[in-house]
Amino acid sequence: MSRIATTPGLLPSPVAPDDGGGGPTPVVAADSAVRDAHLAAQRDADLDRVVEGQAGWWDGIVHPLVAHDNVARGPLAHSTAVARGVYRRPVVAGPLTFDGGLGADLAAVADRTASLQAVVPGPYTLSTLATDDHYGDPAEFQAAIAAFLADELAALPDAVATVFVLEPSLIAAPPGDGADERASDAIDTVAAAVTDADVVVHTYGGALDEKVHAHLLDAAIDAVGYDLIADHEDAAYLVGEYGTADSIALGVANARTPAVDAPATLRERVDWFDDRTPNDFATVYTTTDSVLATLPQSRLVAQLRALGAATTPQS
């Protein structure tokens, strides 16, 4: 069993600064500086997979949708699937055509690491966090989001080794009968676009409903992520009772609090899960329970170092 230290991305980004003359500093310059700092922090922590950091994702997990020309920022909305709980709801007013934003972000760092990991919001989560003013049917809307994400992922640089698909709404707003199967189909569409990297669907905020979990396993993905901070017992039950993919991601570090657990504690949580499930996992992605957007910078660095140390072989 290989243990890989990584994160689900969305590392903390500062509020767009003021240049002292009444106008904001160009966002691209701010993004570049924060991206450099994020890459350096991950390298220093010896993470096995490195994310671009999503410094330009000012709208959090919904950013790839909001950045589209046919999507507007709507009113403030609340969801536990969003790091800070509050976000600007995307309003889709036209067709979700390819725009290349995800690929462009990753291309900016592709030659700076040999272990690049892409981060993308899942199609089900985006469909629950957005408003449809164009497609007119929930199933068609979700399928359109999945096709949009698939096109974006198909254009990723070859350097990408892993793709984390973030699906917190599978727990925060679980799909009901019929909708759970459609959510799995949408995730499968996204995963099918990735041909040369492992696809991890990371869920967090609790444990998956049994039926939702079963349908998720029907998608052609390489790993499912389980939040051991929010609900370790039910996560172990799901895997022990119903199985999972060949590999797994375990959220063993708490990204929602400034407290940082010791590397030994993170290792013990992985060992605990391994002892209580019958699977012989090919890879365990050792990661945080959720995205890291709310951590202060000093705690971010400490959290990354703990994750890196947790997968270092012990003598």
Side-chain angles (χ1 to χ4, degrees):
M1 178 178 65
S2 172
R3 297 190 182 188
I4 291 178
T6 188
T7 76
L10 276 78
L11 277 59
S13 297
V15 174
D18 190 288
D19 65 4
T25 300
V27 171
V28 67
D31 292 352
S32 178
V34 177
R35 176 186 287 145
D36 290 347
H38 286 339
L39 288 175
Q42 293 175 88
R43 283 195 298 264
D44 290 347
D46 290 329
L47 294 192
D48 301 298
R49 294 287 186 272
V50 173
V51 299
E52 180 266 340
Q54 296 75 49
W57 289 25
W58 305 102
D59 296 289
I61 196 172
V62 299
H63 172 82
L65 201 56
V66 170
H68 197 281
D69 288 343
N70 291 332
V71 180
R73 288 178 177 87
L76 287 174
H78 298 266
S79 173
T80 57
V82 180
R84 293 180 175 85
V86 179
Y87 70 105
R88 287 283 181 185
R89 192 169 183 86
V91 179
V92 178
L96 293 173
T97 52
F98 173 76
D99 73 3
L102 287 173
D105 285 347
L106 288 161
V109 299
D111 62 348
R112 299 170 64 182
T113 176
S115 54
L116 186 59
Q117 176 173 295
V119 173
V120 60
Y124 177 73
T125 291
L126 281 185
S127 71
T128 67
L129 297 177
T131 295
D132 172 26
D133 278 356
H134 175 72
Y135 292 95
D137 175 79
E140 185 180 352
F141 182 46
Q142 183 175 255
I145 291 175
F148 162 68
L149 293 172
D151 287 345
E152 295 294 305
L153 289 175
L156 293 184
D158 293 339
V160 173
T162 310
V163 177
F164 258 50
V165 181
L166 308 183
E167 283 285 18
S169 286
L170 287 176
I171 292 170
D177 288 345
D180 48 10
E181 187 172 358
R182 288 194 297 273
S184 176
D185 290 343
I187 292 167
D188 190 66
T189 295
V190 172
V194 182
T195 56
D196 295 318
D198 291 334
V199 177
V200 180
V201 176
H202 193 40
T203 65
Y204 47 90
L208 289 160
D209 173 83
E210 292 180 22
K211 193 174 178 185
V212 172
H213 181 257
H215 280 298
L216 178 57
L217 295 180
D218 291 335
I221 58 180
D222 298 288
V224 176
Y226 300 88
D227 181 351
L228 300 194
I229 300 299
D231 196 338
H232 59 284
E233 292 285 357
D234 280 350
Y237 166 77
L238 280 173
V239 174
E241 188 72 15
Y242 301 105
T244 190
D246 291 340
S247 295
I248 196 168
L250 296 178
V252 295
N254 193 337
R256 303 183 185 203
T257 173
V260 177
D261 289 314
T265 301
L266 306 186
R267 285 192 293 270
E268 287 168 3
R269 288 171 181 158
V270 175
D271 292 341
W272 177 91
F273 192 89
D274 189 43
D275 289 343
R276 281 160 180 76
T277 54
N279 305 62
D280 184 15
F281 300 113
T283 300
V284 174
Y285 294 90
T286 302
T287 188
T288 54
D289 59 336
S290 65
V291 299
L292 295 96
T294 60
L295 290 181
Q297 184 64 26
S298 62
R299 295 295 87 188
L300 169 68
V301 170
Q303 191 73 272
L304 297 178
R305 289 175 176 169
L307 280 170
T311 58
T312 301
Q314 302 299 293
S315 56

Short mmCIF file of all heavy atoms in Angstrom, two decimals, residues 23-82:
data_model
loop_
_atom_site.label_atom_id
_atom_site.label_comp_id
_atom_site.label_asym_id
_atom_site.label_seq_id
_atom_site.Cartn_x
_atom_site.Cartn_y
_atom_site.Cartn_z
N GLY A 23 -7.41 51.98 -6.20
CA GLY A 23 -7.78 50.88 -7.10
C GLY A 23 -7.14 49.59 -6.67
O GLY A 23 -6.12 49.59 -5.97
N PRO A 24 -7.70 48.47 -7.05
CA PRO A 24 -7.14 47.18 -6.65
C PRO A 24 -5.88 46.84 -7.42
O PRO A 24 -5.72 47.23 -8.57
CB PRO A 24 -8.26 46.19 -6.99
CG PRO A 24 -8.98 46.86 -8.11
CD PRO A 24 -8.90 48.33 -7.84
N THR A 25 -4.98 46.12 -6.76
CA THR A 25 -3.82 45.56 -7.47
C THR A 25 -4.33 44.58 -8.51
O THR A 25 -5.27 43.85 -8.25
CB THR A 25 -2.91 44.83 -6.47
OG1 THR A 25 -2.47 45.76 -5.49
CG2 THR A 25 -1.71 44.20 -7.17
N PRO A 26 -3.76 44.57 -9.72
CA PRO A 26 -4.23 43.61 -10.72
C PRO A 26 -4.27 42.19 -10.16
O PRO A 26 -3.32 41.73 -9.55
CB PRO A 26 -3.18 43.73 -11.83
CG PRO A 26 -2.67 45.13 -11.70
CD PRO A 26 -2.68 45.42 -10.22
N VAL A 27 -5.40 41.54 -10.34
CA VAL A 27 -5.60 40.22 -9.74
C VAL A 27 -4.54 39.23 -10.20
O VAL A 27 -4.05 38.42 -9.44
CB VAL A 27 -7.03 39.71 -10.08
CG1 VAL A 27 -7.18 38.24 -9.66
CG2 VAL A 27 -8.06 40.55 -9.37
N VAL A 28 -4.16 39.30 -11.47
CA VAL A 28 -3.18 38.35 -11.98
C VAL A 28 -1.87 38.43 -11.23
O VAL A 28 -1.22 37.42 -10.98
CB VAL A 28 -2.97 38.54 -13.50
CG1 VAL A 28 -2.31 39.88 -13.79
CG2 VAL A 28 -2.13 37.41 -14.07
N ALA A 29 -1.46 39.64 -10.83
CA ALA A 29 -0.21 39.80 -10.08
C ALA A 29 -0.35 39.20 -8.69
O ALA A 29 0.55 38.52 -8.19
CB ALA A 29 0.16 41.27 -9.99
N ALA A 30 -1.49 39.44 -8.05
CA ALA A 30 -1.72 38.89 -6.72
C ALA A 30 -1.76 37.36 -6.78
O ALA A 30 -1.18 36.67 -5.96
CB ALA A 30 -3.02 39.45 -6.14
N ASP A 31 -2.46 36.84 -7.79
CA ASP A 31 -2.55 35.39 -7.94
C ASP A 31 -1.18 34.76 -8.12
O ASP A 31 -0.88 33.72 -7.54
CB ASP A 31 -3.41 35.04 -9.16
CG ASP A 31 -4.88 35.41 -8.96
OD1 ASP A 31 -5.23 35.79 -7.83
OD2 ASP A 31 -5.65 35.30 -9.92
N SER A 32 -0.33 35.39 -8.91
CA SER A 32 0.99 34.84 -9.20
C SER A 32 1.83 34.76 -7.94
O SER A 32 2.51 33.77 -7.69
CB SER A 32 1.68 35.70 -10.26
OG SER A 32 2.97 35.21 -10.52
N ALA A 33 1.79 35.81 -7.13
CA ALA A 33 2.58 35.83 -5.90
C ALA A 33 2.10 34.77 -4.91
O ALA A 33 2.90 34.07 -4.29
CB ALA A 33 2.52 37.22 -5.26
N VAL A 34 0.79 34.65 -4.77
CA VAL A 34 0.25 33.67 -3.84
C VAL A 34 0.53 32.26 -4.35
O VAL A 34 0.87 31.35 -3.59
CB VAL A 34 -1.27 33.88 -3.64
CG1 VAL A 34 -1.84 32.81 -2.74
CG2 VAL A 34 -1.54 35.26 -3.05
N ARG A 35 0.40 32.07 -5.67
CA ARG A 35 0.70 30.76 -6.27
C ARG A 35 2.14 30.35 -5.97
O ARG A 35 2.42 29.20 -5.60
CB ARG A 35 0.47 30.82 -7.78
CG ARG A 35 0.84 29.54 -8.51
CD ARG A 35 0.72 29.77 -10.01
NE ARG A 35 -0.66 29.85 -10.44
CZ ARG A 35 -1.09 30.64 -11.41
NH1 ARG A 35 -0.26 31.45 -12.03
NH2 ARG A 35 -2.36 30.62 -11.77
N ASP A 36 3.07 31.27 -6.12
CA ASP A 36 4.48 30.98 -5.84
C ASP A 36 4.66 30.55 -4.38
O ASP A 36 5.40 29.59 -4.09
CB ASP A 36 5.35 32.20 -6.12
CG ASP A 36 5.45 32.53 -7.60
OD1 ASP A 36 5.07 31.67 -8.43
OD2 ASP A 36 5.91 33.64 -7.93
N ALA A 37 3.99 31.26 -3.48
CA ALA A 37 4.11 30.93 -2.05
C ALA A 37 3.51 29.55 -1.76
O ALA A 37 4.06 28.76 -0.99
CB ALA A 37 3.42 32.00 -1.21
N HIS A 38 2.38 29.25 -2.39
CA HIS A 38 1.74 27.95 -2.17
C HIS A 38 2.61 26.81 -2.69
O HIS A 38 2.75 25.77 -2.04
CB HIS A 38 0.39 27.91 -2.86
CG HIS A 38 -0.68 28.71 -2.18
ND1 HIS A 38 -0.61 29.07 -0.86
CD2 HIS A 38 -1.87 29.20 -2.64
CE1 HIS A 38 -1.69 29.75 -0.52
NE2 HIS A 38 -2.47 29.84 -1.59
N LEU A 39 3.19 26.98 -3.86
CA LEU A 39 4.06 25.94 -4.40
C LEU A 39 5.26 25.71 -3.50
O LEU A 39 5.65 24.58 -3.23
CB LEU A 39 4.52 26.32 -5.81
CG LEU A 39 3.47 26.26 -6.92
CD1 LEU A 39 4.07 26.78 -8.22
CD2 LEU A 39 2.95 24.84 -7.10
N ALA A 40 5.88 26.80 -3.03
CA ALA A 40 7.05 26.69 -2.16
C ALA A 40 6.68 25.98 -0.87
O ALA A 40 7.43 25.12 -0.38
CB ALA A 40 7.61 28.08 -1.87
N ALA A 41 5.53 26.31 -0.28
CA ALA A 41 5.12 25.69 0.98
C ALA A 41 4.89 24.19 0.80
O ALA A 41 5.25 23.39 1.68
CB ALA A 41 3.85 26.36 1.49
N GLN A 42 4.29 23.80 -0.31
CA GLN A 42 4.04 22.37 -0.55
C GLN A 42 5.34 21.60 -0.80
O GLN A 42 5.51 20.48 -0.34
CB GLN A 42 3.08 22.20 -1.73
CG GLN A 42 1.68 22.71 -1.44
CD GLN A 42 0.80 22.64 -2.68
OE1 GLN A 42 0.16 21.62 -2.95
NE2 GLN A 42 0.78 23.72 -3.45
N ARG A 43 6.25 22.22 -1.54
CA ARG A 43 7.55 21.57 -1.77
C ARG A 43 8.31 21.42 -0.47
O ARG A 43 8.89 20.37 -0.19
CB ARG A 43 8.37 22.37 -2.79
CG ARG A 43 7.92 22.18 -4.23
CD ARG A 43 8.98 22.69 -5.18
NE ARG A 43 9.22 24.12 -5.03
CZ ARG A 43 8.65 25.06 -5.79
NH1 ARG A 43 7.81 24.72 -6.74
NH2 ARG A 43 8.92 26.33 -5.59
N ASP A 44 8.32 22.48 0.34
CA ASP A 44 9.04 22.43 1.62
C ASP A 44 8.46 21.37 2.56
O ASP A 44 9.16 20.83 3.40
CB ASP A 44 9.00 23.80 2.30
CG ASP A 44 9.84 24.84 1.57
OD1 ASP A 44 10.65 24.45 0.70
OD2 ASP A 44 9.68 26.05 1.85
N ALA A 45 7.15 21.11 2.39
CA ALA A 45 6.50 20.12 3.25
C ALA A 45 6.65 18.70 2.73
O ALA A 45 6.19 17.75 3.37
CB ALA A 45 5.02 20.45 3.36
N ASP A 46 7.30 18.54 1.58
CA ASP A 46 7.50 17.21 0.98
C ASP A 46 6.19 16.50 0.66
O ASP A 46 6.07 15.27 0.82
CB ASP A 46 8.36 16.32 1.88
CG ASP A 46 9.80 16.78 1.93
OD1 ASP A 46 10.28 17.34 0.93
OD2 ASP A 46 10.44 16.60 2.99
N LEU A 47 5.19 17.25 0.18
CA LEU A 47 3.96 16.60 -0.26
C LEU A 47 4.24 15.79 -1.52
O LEU A 47 5.04 16.18 -2.36
CB LEU A 47 2.87 17.64 -0.54
CG LEU A 47 2.33 18.44 0.64
CD1 LEU A 47 1.06 19.19 0.23
CD2 LEU A 47 2.05 17.56 1.85
N ASP A 48 3.55 14.68 -1.65
CA ASP A 48 3.75 13.80 -2.80
C ASP A 48 3.00 14.27 -4.04
O ASP A 48 3.35 13.92 -5.16
CB ASP A 48 3.32 12.38 -2.45
CG ASP A 48 4.09 11.83 -1.26
OD1 ASP A 48 5.34 11.70 -1.38
OD2 ASP A 48 3.47 11.55 -0.22
N ARG A 49 1.93 15.04 -3.84
CA ARG A 49 1.20 15.68 -4.92
C ARG A 49 1.07 17.16 -4.59
O ARG A 49 0.78 17.52 -3.45
CB ARG A 49 -0.20 15.07 -5.10
CG ARG A 49 -0.20 13.64 -5.57
CD ARG A 49 0.22 13.51 -7.04
NE ARG A 49 0.06 12.13 -7.49
CZ ARG A 49 1.00 11.20 -7.38
NH1 ARG A 49 2.16 11.48 -6.81
NH2 ARG A 49 0.79 9.97 -7.82
N VAL A 50 1.25 17.98 -5.60
CA VAL A 50 1.27 19.43 -5.41
C VAL A 50 0.14 20.06 -6.23
O VAL A 50 0.02 19.79 -7.43
CB VAL A 50 2.63 20.02 -5.85
CG1 VAL A 50 2.60 21.54 -5.82
CG2 VAL A 50 3.74 19.49 -4.95
N VAL A 51 -0.68 20.88 -5.59
CA VAL A 51 -1.76 21.57 -6.29
C VAL A 51 -1.31 22.97 -6.69
O VAL A 51 -0.38 23.53 -6.09
CB VAL A 51 -3.03 21.66 -5.43
CG1 VAL A 51 -3.54 20.27 -5.08
CG2 VAL A 51 -2.80 22.48 -4.16
N GLU A 52 -1.98 23.52 -7.68
CA GLU A 52 -1.68 24.89 -8.12
C GLU A 52 -2.05 25.89 -7.03
O GLU A 52 -1.44 26.96 -6.94
CB GLU A 52 -2.44 25.16 -9.43
CG GLU A 52 -2.24 26.55 -10.02
CD GLU A 52 -3.32 27.52 -9.58
OE1 GLU A 52 -4.39 27.07 -9.15
OE2 GLU A 52 -3.07 28.75 -9.66
N GLY A 53 -3.00 25.55 -6.20
CA GLY A 53 -3.35 26.38 -5.06
C GLY A 53 -4.65 27.14 -5.20
O GLY A 53 -5.22 27.59 -4.22
N GLN A 54 -5.11 27.33 -6.44
CA GLN A 54 -6.36 28.04 -6.70
C GLN A 54 -6.38 29.44 -6.08
O GLN A 54 -7.39 29.87 -5.52
CB GLN A 54 -7.57 27.21 -6.21
CG GLN A 54 -7.77 25.90 -6.95
CD GLN A 54 -6.76 24.84 -6.53
OE1 GLN A 54 -6.54 24.59 -5.35
NE2 GLN A 54 -6.11 24.22 -7.51
N ALA A 55 -5.25 30.13 -6.18
CA ALA A 55 -5.17 31.49 -5.63
C ALA A 55 -6.15 32.43 -6.31
O ALA A 55 -6.59 33.41 -5.71
CB ALA A 55 -3.74 32.03 -5.78
N GLY A 56 -6.49 32.15 -7.55
CA GLY A 56 -7.42 33.01 -8.28
C GLY A 56 -8.87 32.64 -8.12
O GLY A 56 -9.74 33.26 -8.73
N TRP A 57 -9.16 31.64 -7.29
CA TRP A 57 -10.55 31.22 -7.12
C TRP A 57 -11.23 32.08 -6.05
O TRP A 57 -11.54 31.62 -4.95
CB TRP A 57 -10.62 29.74 -6.74
CG TRP A 57 -10.27 28.81 -7.87
CD1 TRP A 57 -9.48 29.08 -8.95
CD2 TRP A 57 -10.68 27.45 -8.01
NE1 TRP A 57 -9.38 27.97 -9.76
CE2 TRP A 57 -10.10 26.96 -9.22
CE3 TRP A 57 -11.47 26.59 -7.25
CZ2 TRP A 57 -10.30 25.65 -9.67
CZ3 TRP A 57 -11.66 25.28 -7.69
CH2 TRP A 57 -11.10 24.83 -8.89
N TRP A 58 -11.48 33.32 -6.39
CA TRP A 58 -12.05 34.26 -5.41
C TRP A 58 -13.45 33.82 -4.98
O TRP A 58 -13.94 34.22 -3.92
CB TRP A 58 -12.09 35.66 -6.00
CG TRP A 58 -10.75 36.12 -6.49
CD1 TRP A 58 -10.31 36.16 -7.78
CD2 TRP A 58 -9.65 36.57 -5.69
NE1 TRP A 58 -9.01 36.60 -7.83
CE2 TRP A 58 -8.58 36.87 -6.57
CE3 TRP A 58 -9.46 36.75 -4.32
CZ2 TRP A 58 -7.34 37.33 -6.12
CZ3 TRP A 58 -8.23 37.21 -3.88
CH2 TRP A 58 -7.19 37.50 -4.77
N ASP A 59 -14.12 33.02 -5.78
CA ASP A 59 -15.45 32.54 -5.45
C ASP A 59 -15.45 31.13 -4.89
O ASP A 59 -16.48 30.47 -4.84
CB ASP A 59 -16.35 32.59 -6.69
CG ASP A 59 -16.55 34.02 -7.19
OD1 ASP A 59 -17.27 34.78 -6.51
OD2 ASP A 59 -15.98 34.37 -8.23
N GLY A 60 -14.27 30.65 -4.49
CA GLY A 60 -14.18 29.33 -3.88
C GLY A 60 -14.50 28.22 -4.86
O GLY A 60 -14.18 28.28 -6.04
N ILE A 61 -15.17 27.18 -4.36
CA ILE A 61 -15.38 25.97 -5.14
C ILE A 61 -16.20 26.22 -6.41
O ILE A 61 -16.12 25.46 -7.38
CB ILE A 61 -16.04 24.89 -4.26
CG1 ILE A 61 -15.92 23.50 -4.90
CG2 ILE A 61 -17.48 25.24 -3.94
CD1 ILE A 61 -16.36 22.37 -3.99
N VAL A 62 -17.00 27.28 -6.44
CA VAL A 62 -17.83 27.53 -7.63
C VAL A 62 -17.08 28.35 -8.68
O VAL A 62 -17.64 28.65 -9.74
CB VAL A 62 -19.15 28.26 -7.26
CG1 VAL A 62 -19.97 27.43 -6.31
CG2 VAL A 62 -18.88 29.65 -6.69
N HIS A 63 -15.84 28.70 -8.44
CA HIS A 63 -15.11 29.60 -9.34
C HIS A 63 -15.08 29.15 -10.80
O HIS A 63 -15.31 29.97 -11.70
CB HIS A 63 -13.68 29.83 -8.85
CG HIS A 63 -12.85 30.59 -9.83
ND1 HIS A 63 -12.89 31.98 -9.92
CD2 HIS A 63 -11.99 30.18 -10.80
CE1 HIS A 63 -12.09 32.36 -10.90
NE2 HIS A 63 -11.53 31.30 -11.44
N PRO A 64 -14.77 27.88 -11.11
CA PRO A 64 -14.71 27.51 -12.53
C PRO A 64 -16.01 27.77 -13.28
O PRO A 64 -16.00 27.99 -14.49
CB PRO A 64 -14.39 26.01 -12.48
CG PRO A 64 -13.67 25.84 -11.18
CD PRO A 64 -14.38 26.76 -10.24
N LEU A 65 -17.13 27.76 -12.57
CA LEU A 65 -18.41 28.08 -13.20
C LEU A 65 -18.59 29.59 -13.30
O LEU A 65 -18.95 30.12 -14.36
CB LEU A 65 -19.55 27.46 -12.39
CG LEU A 65 -20.89 27.25 -13.11
CD1 LEU A 65 -20.71 26.40 -14.35
CD2 LEU A 65 -21.88 26.62 -12.15
N VAL A 66 -18.32 30.30 -12.21
CA VAL A 66 -18.49 31.75 -12.18
C VAL A 66 -17.61 32.44 -13.22
O VAL A 66 -17.98 33.46 -13.80
CB VAL A 66 -18.18 32.30 -10.77
CG1 VAL A 66 -18.11 33.82 -10.77
CG2 VAL A 66 -19.24 31.84 -9.78
N ALA A 67 -16.43 31.86 -13.49
CA ALA A 67 -15.50 32.48 -14.44
C ALA A 67 -15.98 32.40 -15.89
O ALA A 67 -15.40 33.05 -16.76
CB ALA A 67 -14.13 31.82 -14.31
N HIS A 68 -16.99 31.61 -16.15
CA HIS A 68 -17.48 31.45 -17.52
C HIS A 68 -18.23 32.69 -17.99
O HIS A 68 -18.95 33.33 -17.21
CB HIS A 68 -18.41 30.23 -17.59
CG HIS A 68 -18.65 29.72 -18.97
ND1 HIS A 68 -19.55 30.34 -19.83
CD2 HIS A 68 -18.14 28.68 -19.66
CE1 HIS A 68 -19.57 29.68 -20.98
NE2 HIS A 68 -18.71 28.68 -20.90
N ASP A 69 -18.09 33.02 -19.27
CA ASP A 69 -18.73 34.23 -19.82
C ASP A 69 -20.25 34.19 -19.73
O ASP A 69 -20.89 35.25 -19.68
CB ASP A 69 -18.33 34.41 -21.29
CG ASP A 69 -16.89 34.84 -21.46
OD1 ASP A 69 -16.30 35.31 -20.47
OD2 ASP A 69 -16.35 34.70 -22.58
N ASN A 70 -20.84 33.01 -19.71
CA ASN A 70 -22.30 32.90 -19.68
C ASN A 70 -22.86 32.69 -18.28
O ASN A 70 -24.01 32.27 -18.13
CB ASN A 70 -22.75 31.75 -20.59
CG ASN A 70 -22.53 32.07 -22.05
OD1 ASN A 70 -22.54 33.23 -22.46
ND2 ASN A 70 -22.34 31.04 -22.86
N VAL A 71 -22.03 32.97 -17.28
CA VAL A 71 -22.46 32.80 -15.88
C VAL A 71 -22.24 34.12 -15.14
O VAL A 71 -21.20 34.77 -15.27
CB VAL A 71 -21.68 31.67 -15.19
CG1 VAL A 71 -22.12 31.52 -13.73
CG2 VAL A 71 -21.87 30.36 -15.93
N ALA A 72 -23.24 34.51 -14.36
CA ALA A 72 -23.16 35.74 -13.56
C ALA A 72 -23.11 35.40 -12.08
O ALA A 72 -23.56 34.33 -11.65
CB ALA A 72 -24.37 36.62 -13.85
N ARG A 73 -22.56 36.32 -11.29
CA ARG A 73 -22.59 36.17 -9.83
C ARG A 73 -23.96 36.62 -9.34
O ARG A 73 -24.35 37.76 -9.51
CB ARG A 73 -21.50 37.00 -9.17
CG ARG A 73 -20.09 36.48 -9.36
CD ARG A 73 -19.09 37.43 -8.70
NE ARG A 73 -17.74 36.93 -8.80
CZ ARG A 73 -16.93 37.15 -9.83
NH1 ARG A 73 -17.38 37.85 -10.87
NH2 ARG A 73 -15.70 36.69 -9.84
N GLY A 74 -24.65 35.70 -8.70
CA GLY A 74 -25.97 36.00 -8.18
C GLY A 74 -25.92 36.47 -6.74
O GLY A 74 -24.88 36.92 -6.25
N PRO A 75 -27.01 36.35 -6.02
CA PRO A 75 -27.07 36.81 -4.63
C PRO A 75 -26.27 35.90 -3.69
O PRO A 75 -25.92 34.78 -4.04
CB PRO A 75 -28.57 36.73 -4.32
CG PRO A 75 -29.08 35.66 -5.23
CD PRO A 75 -28.28 35.79 -6.48
N LEU A 76 -26.02 36.40 -2.51
CA LEU A 76 -25.36 35.59 -1.49
C LEU A 76 -26.23 34.39 -1.14
O LEU A 76 -27.46 34.49 -1.06
CB LEU A 76 -25.10 36.41 -0.23
CG LEU A 76 -23.98 37.46 -0.30
CD1 LEU A 76 -23.95 38.27 0.99
CD2 LEU A 76 -22.64 36.78 -0.51
N ALA A 77 -25.57 33.25 -0.96
CA ALA A 77 -26.27 32.03 -0.59
C ALA A 77 -25.46 31.31 0.48
O ALA A 77 -24.28 31.63 0.71
CB ALA A 77 -26.47 31.13 -1.81
N HIS A 78 -26.08 30.35 1.14
CA HIS A 78 -25.44 29.62 2.23
C HIS A 78 -25.41 28.14 1.90
O HIS A 78 -26.37 27.57 1.40
CB HIS A 78 -26.19 29.84 3.54
CG HIS A 78 -26.23 31.26 3.99
ND1 HIS A 78 -25.33 31.81 4.87
CD2 HIS A 78 -27.08 32.27 3.67
CE1 HIS A 78 -25.61 33.08 5.08
NE2 HIS A 78 -26.67 33.39 4.36
N SER A 79 -24.27 27.51 2.18
CA SER A 79 -24.15 26.06 2.03
C SER A 79 -22.96 25.58 2.83
O SER A 79 -21.90 26.20 2.82
CB SER A 79 -23.96 25.68 0.55
OG SER A 79 -23.69 24.28 0.44
N THR A 80 -23.13 24.45 3.50
CA THR A 80 -22.00 23.86 4.23
C THR A 80 -20.99 23.23 3.28
O THR A 80 -19.91 22.85 3.70
CB THR A 80 -22.50 22.79 5.22
OG1 THR A 80 -23.24 21.79 4.50
CG2 THR A 80 -23.39 23.40 6.29
N ALA A 81 -21.34 23.13 1.98
CA ALA A 81 -20.40 22.60 1.00
C ALA A 81 -19.33 23.62 0.62
O ALA A 81 -18.35 23.28 -0.04
CB ALA A 81 -21.14 22.15 -0.26
N VAL A 82 -19.51 24.87 1.03
CA VAL A 82 -18.57 25.94 0.72
C VAL A 82 -17.74 26.23 1.96
O VAL A 82 -18.27 26.27 3.08
CB VAL A 82 -19.33 27.21 0.27
CG1 VAL A 82 -18.38 28.33 -0.07
CG2 VAL A 82 -20.21 26.88 -0.93
#
